[in-house]
């Protein structure tokens, strides 16, 4: 077993295969065609205007509401994911999207299991109902380029941490804005504008905690995703 793991790790490092080991579901699949991974993720993260689903088939299966939730709210049901992936390697692909910070669990008052896919959120926030005062920290990427998808991945990570706290309220999520609760009342806001990401809260103790979380998550993104 050890020799097999070493061999898989060696070929993974060479780029011959893709073999991830952070979860049991990921360990069970060895991918020899990376394009299959890209195609699989593209069945979820897609532009409906350019790549529409088969509406007739969706109606037969009763998945119209599920698709509407994905495109309107960025929420994917297990039933929809199983349909998109032909009920093949579903747990592996879910773990892969979690590992890539493209998807997180969503357990806010729903009976059926759902997942958040922040990059599918299209509704913009008018910023009229945001914090005018409070503690702010800006992350300025203007000297370089704001990596594509970093805001959505940060939202994914923060919502994933919020889900683990049973007392948290449901986040308020938009394309470039997120209000994430850390309890029934306290929250912080995450905003993307041009080449900047700003985090803001009105509570000084929470501000320190959120800044620590933000730095840790950016380091994690740099190490695990951005290389």
């Amino acid at each position: 077993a050890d020799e097999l793991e070493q061999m898989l790790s060696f070929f993974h490092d060479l780029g011959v295969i893709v073999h991830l080991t952070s979860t049991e579901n990921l360990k069970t699949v060895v991918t020899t065609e990376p394009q299959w991974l890209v195609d699989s993720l593209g069945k979820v993260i897609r532009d409906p205007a350019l790549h529409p689903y088969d509406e007739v088939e969706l109606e037969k299966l009763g998945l119209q509401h599920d698709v509407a939730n994905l495109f309107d709210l960025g929420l994917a049901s297990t039933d929809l994911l199983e349909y998109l992936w032909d009920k093949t390697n579903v747990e592996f692909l879910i773990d892969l999207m979690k590992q890539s910070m493209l998807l997180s669990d969503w357990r806010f008052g729903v009976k059926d299991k759902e997942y958040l896919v922040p990059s599918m959120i299209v509704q913009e926030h008018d910023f009229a109902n945001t914090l005018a005062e409070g503690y702010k920290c800006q992350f300025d990427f203007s000297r370089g380029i704001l990596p594509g998808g970093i805001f959505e991945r940060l939202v994914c990570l923060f919502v994933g941490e919020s889900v683990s706290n049973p007392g948290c309220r449901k986040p308020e999520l938009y394309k470039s804005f997120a209000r994430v609760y850390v309890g029934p009342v306290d929250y912080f806001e995450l905003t993307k504008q041009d080449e900047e990401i700003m985090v803001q809260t009105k509570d000084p103790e929470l501000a320190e905690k959120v800044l620590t979380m933000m730095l840790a998550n950016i380091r994690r993104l740099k190490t695990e995703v951005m290389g």
Side-chain angles (χ1 to χ4, degrees), residues 99-111:
Q99 176 72 18
S100 304
M101 302 166 204
L102 298 171
L103 170 150
S104 64
D105 290 318
W106 182 267
R107 301 175 191 149
F108 297 97
V110 293
K111 293 181 180 179

Side-chain angles (χ1 to χ4, degrees), residues 108-185:
F108 297 97
V110 293
K111 293 181 180 179
D112 299 325
K113 196 169 186 179
E114 290 185 317
Y115 301 92
L116 173 68
V117 187
S119 57
M120 292 301 294
I121 299 173
V122 296
Q123 185 177 356
E124 296 282 1
H125 193 267
D126 60 11
F127 297 102
N129 186 29
T130 57
L131 288 171
E133 299 178 356
Y135 298 87
K136 303 178 182 179
C137 181
Q138 285 183 304
F139 292 81
D140 187 351
F141 295 85
S142 60
R143 292 187 178 182
I145 298 176
L146 181 64
I150 190 172
F151 176 80
E152 291 78 8
R153 283 182 163 99
L154 285 170
V155 170
C156 215
L157 289 170
F158 281 126
V159 170
E161 291 168 0
S162 179
V163 163
S164 64
N165 185 345
C168 287
R169 284 178 57 182
K170 181 170 70 174
E172 300 167 30
L173 305 176
Y174 298 85
K175 187 175 180 63
S176 302
F177 173 84
R179 178 176 290 163
V180 182
Y181 288 84
V182 296
V185 177

